[in-house]
Amino acid sequence: NRIDLLLEAMTTQEKISQLIDEAVAIDRLGIPEYNWWNEALHGVARSGLATSFPQVIGLSSTWNPELIFQVATAISDEARVKNNTENKGLTYWSPTINMARDPRWGRSEETYGEDPYLTSVLATNFVRGMQGNDPYYLKTIATIKHFACNNQEFDRFGVNIEVDQRALHEIYLPAFKAGVTEGHAWS
């Protein structure tokens, strides 16, 4: 397919150039520049006027997977409009599925809370709502985030988080697994 052909034709440096949020154009291959930084936790973030739904922690307190799907569907509808009219891109860094086990984290409002099962179900429905149900075309691309166990702001790019294997597999990883295997998140 086209992706495999492009990857084969790209140099290592060209591949690396695509790994930042402001990916440069590769003219010789017909690849346009692309800014893939955007967020849609509770609405399209960097697009000026946009619908803003309640914070994710509030949405999760509904315990309603269908509502989360409907919210994500509405967000992705608006994201498509923003892309078609303002070229805002279709890659969204959402949902945040880290476990909010300590309210001092500072990003707890971005999460579905501290329950691995509830987070798995809600995040999967959010991903499905964002990406749509067309068998061939993605409506948007959902990016489940952040890295597992990334639950602090201070020195978050340099701190070494140590979690025992049981907590890792029972608490921190289930929502990431569900987001990929059940939600089919593309990023």
Side-chain angles (χ1 to χ4, degrees):
N1 68 34
R2 180 160 162 72
I3 293 172
D4 292 331
L5 292 173
L6 285 172
L7 288 172
E8 189 176 310
M10 291 170 76
T11 66
T12 301
Q13 189 60 39
E14 288 170 334
K15 290 175 186 175
I16 291 169
S17 77
Q18 300 300 296
L19 295 177
I20 60 172
D21 61 330
E22 294 181 13
V24 298
I26 303 174
D27 295 327
R28 71 179 189 85
L29 297 174
I31 299 173
E33 68 180 5
Y34 186 71
N35 184 335
W36 50 270
W37 182 92
N38 211 332
E39 201 167 62
L41 297 172
H42 58 98
V44 179
R46 72 170 182 96
S47 297
L49 294 175
T51 304
S52 182
F53 292 93
Q55 286 282 6
V56 177
I57 194 74
L59 289 171
S60 73
S61 68
T62 67
W63 294 65
N64 188 335
E66 179 58 30
L67 176 65
I68 301 301
F69 176 81
Q70 291 171 1
V71 166
T73 298
I75 291 169
S76 61
D77 288 347
E78 196 164 81
R80 268 284 170 181
V81 170
K82 295 283 188 180
N83 184 62
N84 292 344
T85 59
E86 303 170 29
N87 196 27
K88 293 294 185 177
L90 294 171
T91 306
Y92 286 86
W93 296 350
S94 304
T96 297
I97 56 176
N98 296 91
M99 295 295 103
R101 300 185 75 199
D102 185 340
R104 297 171 296 174
W105 174 26
R107 287 191 169 197
S108 296
E109 76 281 356
E110 294 182 9
T111 75
Y112 295 107
E114 63 180 315
D115 182 84
Y117 178 75
L118 179 64
T119 296
S120 297
V121 171
L122 298 181
T124 296
N125 278 277
F126 188 91
V127 168
R128 289 177 179 155
M130 287 296 291
Q131 294 187 165
N133 59 4
D134 189 284
Y136 188 73
Y137 295 102
L138 291 168
K139 191 174 182 185
T140 65
I141 295 175
T143 304
I144 52 178
K145 66 173 193 162
H146 302 91
F147 290 119
C149 307
N150 179 15
N151 291 63
Q152 72 174 43
E153 289 303 297
F154 178 74
D155 197 25
R156 71 183 177 135
F157 296 112
V159 70
N160 181 23
I161 302 296
E162 295 183 22
V163 177
D164 68 61
Q165 288 297 306
R166 182 174 179 183
L168 182 65
H169 291 280
E170 291 181 7
I171 297 170
Y172 293 101
L173 292 181
F176 286 92
K177 181 178 180 181
V180 172
T181 61
E182 296 171 37
H184 306 287
W186 271 69
S187 174

